[in-house]
Structure formats: structure tokens, C-alpha cells
Amino acid sequence: MLLSSSDNNIYPQLCKAASIDDSVFDNFKSNPIYNEILEHVTQQEGAAYLNHIKLDDNVINNIERFQINDKLGGPKVFKYDAGTFSPTTLRYGKVLVDLLQLSLEDTDIVEIGCGYGGQYTILRQFVTPKSYTFVDLPDALNLQKKYIERLGMNDIPTIFATSDDLPTANYDLCISNYAISECAKCIQDIYIDSIVNNSAHGYIIHNNFEGYTHNEFIDKIYPNANIHNEIPQTCSDNVLITW
């Protein structure tokens, strides 16, 4: 979910194409170019995420709601003991189970690096926030707008912003998974000052890809932030940061 400028413009170009061309949109989740960034979760990782989802009785008993996220974009799906899903959808479901430890109804949520809007889609199956702010590259934002509109889930206030036009706001929850940690420090500083340190709670999977290490990142945010192991551990450098 690269949010900073890059010499590689192929990913945003594909997002742009999918946002304006239905023939691209219909199968963007299985496009190899897109899979370099998203929709590359393995079948085995999906099973591990499903095991975590099973810890929440309400979610696992209503897991068929997740299938809405696999209706669009032509993802690769697999049959699991709880149903047929893409592994990426199950990853979003695992994050949902973690987030449901907070009271999320009628809250202001911001997500940094939103892919095509899958985390929002899954969260909305169980929660109705007061507002949801998407922060990403311009072309990715256009894809997210199209995705949630096609699913009819643009029924709450949604805000779409880049690092150049972030709204001044306080948030109840900041989400950023494999995203803010892939930005250069100058972009991370913008997000930290404008979003992270204005969010009462946070859930960030930090993959130590670029910019600040997770320990450096912690030093710049809330003093009560906690570092956890990523579960399941998909890379040895990944950690979960919460506050």
C-alpha cells in the first residue's frame, strides 16, 4: 500500500484504470500488477486468519456477511470450513475481530492506506461509524470511491484525502496496516502530526519497510502505545502497534 511518491507508477495507473474502466475493474483483484501490492495473501494465511476470527462467536456465526467483499474485482477465492472467501477478505476479518474490542458504533474512523476499501467493507458488516476518512494516493482513492459506491455502502459520511489535503480533525480510531510504515519519513511525519496523534485509539501493522523503525515510530506517538506480535506472523519484521 505505498502512499509516498515512487518511480514505479504502475500500481496507481492500474487503480486509475480500474476506477474508470469497468473491464479492468471487473478483475483488478486478480491482476498481477495489483497483486504486487494487494490480494497476495496465501490460502494458508487465510486459514490462520480464519482461526483468529473463530475467537469471536458473533463474527464467525455471521461470517457469510464477509462474502460481500468478494463480489467485485474478481478475487481468487478458496473453500474453507466456514465458507468460500478470498484470503485477503479473511485478513480484513481478522483485523475486524481485533477492532471490535473497542466500541466502534457512531465513531469517527480514519484509515491510512486503504487498498480498494476492503477493510471498510468488512467493518461495515458489523459497525456503523459516524464517519470514515480514507487517506491514500489520488488514483487509489478514486478506486475506493467506486468500490464502495458499487456496493451501496456510501450511506455514511465518507471523506477521501491525500497527504496534501488532510482535514483538520480528531478521530476515535486510526487504522493503518502495511501502509504508513511503507512511507518515507517526511510523509510519516505528516500523518503522525495530522492523524496519528489526533486519534484516541490506533491499530497499525508496521512492517519496517521504509521510514521509521517501529521503535522510532513509537517514540513519536502516544506514550501509552503498545507493541505486540503480529498474529499470524506474516513476516519476521512485522509488529502490531496499538493505543
Side-chain angles (χ1 to χ4, degrees), residues 210-238:
E210 187 177 347
Y212 296 113
T213 67
H214 66 268
N215 286 317
E216 292 171 335
F217 190 86
I218 283 285
D219 288 341
K220 298 180 75 67
I221 65 171
Y222 282 93
N224 62 337
N226 298 299
I227 299 176
H228 318 266
N229 292 329
E230 182 194 25
I231 300 175
Q233 194 79 38
T234 59
C235 181
S236 60
D237 290 337
N238 291 2

Side-chain angles (χ1 to χ4, degrees), residues 57-115:
D57 288 342
N58 181 47
V59 176
I60 192 63
N61 289 337
N62 293 282
I63 196 171
E64 72 279 356
R65 298 181 191 176
F66 288 180
Q67 291 174 338
I68 189 174
N69 195 51
D70 294 329
K71 289 175 61 176
L72 302 178
K76 188 172 184 178
V77 298
F78 299 94
K79 183 177 288 187
Y80 296 93
D81 58 13
T84 299
F85 306 95
S86 72
T88 298
T89 288
L90 294 176
R91 183 169 76 181
Y92 290 136
K94 183 270 179 189
V95 172
L96 170 72
V97 167
D98 289 347
L99 295 178
L100 287 176
Q101 296 180 46
L102 301 171
S103 178
L104 299 180
E105 286 293 329
D106 200 34
T107 56
D108 296 306
I109 299 175
V110 58
E111 184 178 358
I112 303 170
C114 314

